[in-house]
Amino acid sequence: MRPRYRVVASLSRLHHNHRTFLTSPSSSDEGFDFIFYMTNKAKSINKALNDAVPLCKNPLVLKIREAMRYSLLSHGKRVRPVLCLAACELVGGHESTAMPAACAVEMIHASSLIQDDLPCMDDESLRRGKPTNHKIFGEDISILTADAFLALSVEHTVAATSKDVSPARVMRAVLEMMKAVGTEGLVAGQAADLAGEGKCFEDNEVSLEDLEFIHIHKTAALLEAAAVMGGIMGGGSDEEIESLRRYARCVGLMFQVVDDVLDVTKSSEELGKTAGKDVIAGKLTYPKVMGVERSKEYAKRLRREARVHLQMFDSDKVAPLLSLADYIVQRLN
Amino acid sequence: MRPRYRVVASLSRLHHNHRTFLTSPSSSDEGFDFIFYMTNKAKSINKALNDAVPLCKNPLVLKIREAMRYSLLSHGKRVRPVLCLAACELVGGHESTAMPAACAVEMIHASSLIQDDLPCMDDESLRRGKPTNHKIFGEDISILTADAFLALSVEHTVAATSKDVSPARVMRAVLEMMKAVGTEGLVAGQAADLAGEGKCFEDNEVSLEDLEFIHIHKTAALLEAAAVMGGIMGGGSDEEIESLRRYARCVGLMFQVVDDVLDVTKSSEELGKTAGKDVIAGKLTYPKVMGVERSKEYAKRLRREARVHLQMFDSDKVAPLLSLADYIVQRLN
C-alpha cells in the first residue's frame, strides 16, 4: 500500500529551516558542512520512520496508523535521531546500527508532543503550522496514538536492531529510553511544567533549581537518551557513553535556554511561531529567573561545557556534535 | 517513607471477591484449593507492586507516584500477574523469577484502565466503587500516570529480573509485552471498541469477526502476554511457550464472553457493578451477535479448548491454570 503522507515536502522544509536558523556559517569546524550533514541524516531518518509505521488494511487499526504517520512524518528537524546516529558514529559504529534506536527516540518525541498539545495539557490547536493531532483525529485516538508510539519505540528498538548488537546492549538502550519517558524523564518534566504554570509560582518563589528540574526532565532527558543510546548501539565504552551523556545534558539545557530567550526577544514572524507565549502562560523561563543577558551567557557557558565533554574523542570525528551545539546557540545571534 | 495506601484491605476484599464469584467449589482438580492459591499469589504480587512504585520526596514527582499507587494498589483480582507466575512455575521456574514481569503486566493493565475511564474515552466516574483516577488527580496527571506505567513496566522487567535470566529472554518478554500494548494489542482493541460503539454498528452489520478482533486485542492480548512472559522467564521451551499462548488466548476470549453474558443476565446487585451498561452504550457484545445461550456454549467450548492446550504439561503441575479457566466460566452458573 502507498504511504499517504510524503516525506519529500518535509525534507525540503527541513533544509529551508536550517538555512533560516543558521544565521552564520558553522564556525566550529571549518570545512565541515553541517547543513549538508543534517539534511543527509534527516533523509535517512525520514525514510526509516516512514518504513517503521506502515499503513495497514484493517480499518480499525488504520486510523491509529494514520494518526501516527501524521505526527511522525510531519516537518521536524530530527535533532534527537541525528544526535543518536552521530553518537553511534563517534564511537565507531555504523549509522544503520543505531537507526532503530534513533527512530524510537523520535517516536517518543512525537508521542510527547501529541500529549502536550491535548486540551487538558497545553491546549494547542496548531503545531508547526499544522492542526495538532487531536484536532484531526480526536482526543481519544490521539491518546491511543501516543501509547502506540511508546510501545512501538520499544518494539522497534528490540526487533529492528541488528543481530550483531548483543541483547545486553539492546536492553541497556531500552532502559535508557524508558527512563527518559517515565518519572525520571518526560512525565516528571511535564508534571513539573504544569505545576509551574500560573498560580504555583506567582509568589515569585521561583528558583533556578525548579527550572532546571523541569528542563532536565522535559528536554534534556530525551536528548541524553538519544546520545547514550547511540553510544551503546555503536559499541562505545562506559567512559565514552558517560561523556556523551554529559555532552547531551548540556546541549539539552542549552536548547531550552535558547528557546526561552527567543520567546521574549524575537517577533512571532522571526520565530515562525507565536512569540511571548511563555510569558502569557505564566511559564517559568530562564529570562524570568535570571534575565535575558545572563540567560544568553548561560547558554554560551553550556556550549563551552558541552565541548569539554567531547575532548576525549578523536578530533576528526567530533565535528557533527560540535556543530550541533553551535547550531543551537547560534540562533541567539 | 511509609506507603500511603495499604494493601491489607485490598487482600481481604480479594478473598471476599473470590468467595462471591465461585458459586461452586473448583471442580477441575479435587484437592487443589484455588482460593488459597489465588489469595497467596495476590499477597506476594501486592507486596511486589507496593515496592515497585515507592513514594518520593520531590513534590513535582510525588503527585504522579500517588496517582500510580492509587490505581495500582486498589482492589484487583490480579488475574494477569497470577497467570504470569503460574505459567512460570508450570515450566519449572520459580515465582520470584517472573515477579517483575507479573508486576509489569499489572502496571499495563492499570494504565489501560486509567485511559479507558477518561472523559474522551468511556467517561467513567467510578471504578470498583472508587472515583476513577482522573476524578481524583485530574485528566492531565492521569494521562501522565498512564505513560509512567508503560515506561515503568519496561524498566521494571529489565532492571528487576534476576541476572540468571539471559538478556535475550528478558528482551523477548519485553517484546511480547509491548506487542500487547500497541497496534497489535490494547491500542487496537480500544480503537475498535470506540469505533464499535453506537452508530458504527447500528446497521446490524456486526460480525463475529469484528467482535473477536476487539476482544483478542483488548482483553486476550495482555492475558496472552502475561502467560507467555511467565513461560519465557521460567525458561520454557518454544513449544511450551506456544501452548501457554494458545491457552491464554482461549481464557482471554472466555473472560470477555462471560463478562458480556453477565451484563445482560445478572442484576447490578449480583454483579457489584451497573448491569446492562453494554446494551445502553450500544456496545458490540457476544449476546448481541450470537444470543445468550450460544454465548454460554461458546464460553464452555473455549474452556475445553484451553484445557487441551495444557495437555502437554505434567498433570500434577497444571491445577492452577485449569482452575483459573474454571474460575472464570463458573461465574455463569
Side-chain angles (χ1 to χ4, degrees):
Chain A
M1 193 177 285
R2 293 178 69 85
R4 287 260 186 109
Y5 306 99
R6 296 186 166 247
V7 292
V8 181
S10 168
L11 269 173
S12 68
R13 168 82 170 254
L14 171 81
H15 201 95
H16 171 75
N17 281 348
H18 289 162
R19 292 277 173 211
T20 313
F21 284 141
L22 281 167
T23 49
S24 64
S26 173
S27 59
S28 59
D29 276 75
E30 294 188 18
F32 179 73
D33 188 341
F34 183 62
I35 297 175
F36 180 76
Y37 177 85
M38 278 291 274
T39 310
N40 254 352
K41 284 277 182 259
K43 197 171 167 177
S44 317
I45 291 161
N46 286 335
K47 164 81 172 63
L49 289 173
N50 183 62
D51 295 345
V53 190
L55 291 172
C56 67
K57 281 185 184 169
N58 188 317
L60 296 169
V61 176
L62 181 63
K63 200 173 175 188
I64 301 283
R65 292 278 176 84
E66 284 177 334
M68 291 172 88
R69 293 174 64 86
Y70 179 80
S71 287
L72 191 66
L73 307 180
S74 68
H75 316 308
K77 293 185 290 294
R78 311 300 186 203
V79 170
R80 289 156 194 81
V82 168
L83 180 55
C84 183
L85 300 182
C88 176
E89 288 176 328
L90 182 58
V91 300
H94 189 268
E95 175 188 292
S96 62
T97 314
M99 188 58 89
C103 289
V105 166
E106 192 68 3
M107 289 175 196
I108 286 175
H109 181 53
S111 172
S112 77
L113 297 182
I114 291 173
Q115 285 202 350
D116 287 357
D117 289 340
L118 287 172
C120 68
M121 303 271 189
D122 297 344
D123 195 14
E124 297 282 359
S125 308
L126 290 172
R127 175 167 292 275
R128 296 181 192 136
K130 277 171 60 182
T132 45
N133 196 288
H134 68 271
K135 287 284 171 190
I136 301 283
F137 298 96
E139 275 180 71
D140 48 359
I141 294 294
S142 281
I143 290 172
L144 294 173
T145 300
D147 288 347
F149 273 135
L150 291 188
L152 185 59
S153 71
V154 176
E155 282 183 73
H156 194 68
T157 306
V158 173
T161 297
S162 153
K163 299 288 176 223
D164 298 338
V165 182
S166 74
R169 279 203 177 246
V170 177
M171 210 165 81
R172 191 171 157 196
V174 165
L175 197 57
E176 285 289 338
M177 185 166 69
M178 288 297 104
K179 272 195 182 166
V181 172
T183 52
E184 292 177 64
L186 292 167
V187 164
Q190 178 67 3
D193 201 12
L194 291 167
E197 270 178 46
K199 269 209 301 276
C200 297
F201 290 96
E202 270 177 7
D203 55 0
N204 283 328
E205 279 188 16
V206 162
S207 70
L208 187 60
E209 208 181 323
D210 293 326
L211 190 62
E212 301 270 283
F213 180 92
I214 293 177
H215 297 313
I216 282 175
H217 291 78
K218 198 169 169 173
T219 307
L222 193 55
L223 283 156
E224 195 180 306
V228 167
M229 289 172 82
I232 293 170
M233 292 303 192
S237 68
D238 286 354
E239 202 189 345
E240 287 174 324
I241 291 166
E242 285 317 302
S243 293
L244 284 167
R245 183 191 301 285
R246 285 190 290 269
Y247 157 83
R249 189 170 294 188
C250 290
V251 168
L253 277 178
M254 187 171 70
F255 195 89
Q256 199 57 54
V257 177
V258 171
D259 235 44
D260 283 2
V261 170
L262 293 180
D263 187 73
V264 292
T265 57
K266 301 271 179 183
S267 69
S268 301
E269 205 181 353
E270 285 172 299
L271 284 178
K273 63 180 182 181
T274 318
K277 267 179 54 177
D278 297 342
V279 177
I280 293 162
K283 280 215 182 187
L284 199 55
T285 67
Y286 285 95
K288 198 167 169 180
V289 175
M290 52 169 76
V292 170
E293 283 314 307
R294 278 190 57 215
S295 299
K296 284 183 174 183
E297 279 165 30
Y298 184 43
K300 285 167 189 167
R301 182 157 67 79
L302 285 166
R303 176 174 58 170
R304 284 195 300 274
E305 268 183 43
R307 295 178 76 97
V308 168
H309 296 307
L310 295 177
Q311 277 172 354
M312 72 172 298
F313 297 100
D314 285 353
S315 58
D316 59 331
K317 281 190 179 173
V318 95
L321 292 187
L322 286 180
S323 303
L324 186 67
D326 289 340
Y327 162 72
I328 292 165
V329 87
Q330 276 169 4
R331 295 167 62 200
L332 288 176
N333 296 330
Chain B
M1 193 177 285
R2 294 176 69 83
R4 286 257 185 114
Y5 306 101
R6 296 187 165 249
V7 292
V8 181
S10 168
L11 270 173
S12 68
R13 168 83 169 253
L14 171 80
H15 201 95
H16 171 75
N17 281 349
H18 289 162
R19 293 276 172 211
T20 313
F21 284 141
L22 280 167
T23 49
S24 64
S26 172
S27 60
S28 60
D29 275 75
E30 293 187 18
F32 180 74
D33 188 341
F34 182 62
I35 297 174
F36 180 77
Y37 178 85
M38 279 290 274
T39 310
N40 254 353
K41 284 278 183 259
K43 197 171 167 178
S44 317
I45 291 160
N46 285 335
K47 165 81 172 62
L49 289 173
N50 183 62
D51 295 344
V53 190
L55 291 172
C56 66
K57 282 185 185 170
N58 189 317
L60 296 169
V61 176
L62 180 63
K63 200 173 175 187
I64 300 284
R65 292 278 175 84
E66 283 178 335
M68 291 172 89
R69 292 174 64 86
Y70 179 80
S71 286
L72 190 66
L73 307 180
S74 68
H75 316 307
K77 295 187 288 293
R78 312 299 186 205
V79 171
R80 289 155 193 82
V82 169
L83 179 55
C84 183
L85 299 182
C88 177
E89 289 176 328
L90 182 59
V91 300
H94 189 269
E95 176 187 292
S96 62
T97 313
M99 188 57 89
C103 289
V105 166
E106 193 67 5
M107 289 175 196
I108 286 173
H109 181 54
S111 172
S112 77
L113 296 182
I114 290 173
Q115 284 202 352
D116 287 357
D117 291 338
L118 287 172
C120 68
M121 302 273 188
D122 298 343
D123 195 13
E124 297 282 358
S125 307
L126 289 173
R127 176 167 292 274
R128 297 182 193 135
K130 278 170 60 181
T132 45
N133 196 287
H134 67 272
K135 286 285 172 190
I136 302 284
F137 298 96
E139 276 180 70
D140 48 358
I141 294 294
S142 281
I143 290 172
L144 293 173
T145 301
D147 288 348
F149 273 134
L150 291 187
L152 185 59
S153 71
V154 176
E155 281 183 73
H156 194 68
T157 306
V158 172
T161 297
S162 152
K163 299 287 176 224
D164 298 338
V165 182
S166 74
R169 280 204 177 246
V170 177
M171 279 295 87
R172 192 171 159 195
V174 165
L175 197 56
E176 285 289 338
M177 185 165 70
M178 289 297 103
K179 272 194 182 167
V181 172
T183 52
E184 292 177 64
L186 292 167
V187 163
Q190 178 67 2
D193 200 13
L194 291 167
E197 272 178 46
K199 270 209 301 274
C200 298
F201 290 98
E202 269 175 8
D203 55 0
N204 283 327
E205 278 187 20
V206 162
S207 71
L208 188 58
E209 209 181 321
D210 294 326
L211 190 61
E212 301 269 284
F213 180 92
I214 293 176
H215 296 313
I216 282 175
H217 291 78
K218 196 168 169 173
T219 308
L222 192 56
L223 283 155
E224 195 180 305
V228 167
M229 288 171 83
I232 292 170
M233 292 302 193
S237 68
D238 286 354
E239 203 189 346
E240 287 175 321
I241 291 166
E242 286 317 302
S243 293
L244 284 166
R245 184 191 301 286
R246 286 190 290 269
Y247 157 84
R249 191 172 293 190
C250 290
V251 167
L253 277 178
M254 188 170 70
F255 195 90
Q256 199 57 54
V257 177
V258 170
D259 234 44
D260 283 2
V261 170
L262 293 180
D263 187 72
V264 291
T265 58
K266 300 272 178 182
S267 68
S268 300
E269 206 181 351
E270 285 172 298
L271 284 180
K273 62 180 182 181
T274 319
K277 268 178 54 176
D278 297 342
V279 177
I280 294 162
K283 280 214 181 188
L284 199 54
T285 68
Y286 284 95
K288 198 166 171 181
V289 175
M290 53 168 74
V292 170
E293 283 314 309
R294 279 189 57 214
S295 298
K296 284 183 174 182
E297 278 165 31
Y298 184 44
K300 285 167 189 167
R301 182 157 67 78
L302 286 166
R303 176 173 59 168
R304 284 195 299 276
E305 269 183 43
R307 295 179 75 97
V308 168
H309 296 307
L310 295 177
Q311 277 171 355
M312 71 172 297
F313 297 101
D314 286 353
S315 58
D316 60 331
K317 281 190 180 172
V318 96
L321 292 186
L322 286 180
S323 302
L324 186 67
D326 290 340
Y327 162 73
I328 292 165
V329 87
Q330 275 169 6
R331 296 166 61 199
L332 288 176
N333 294 331

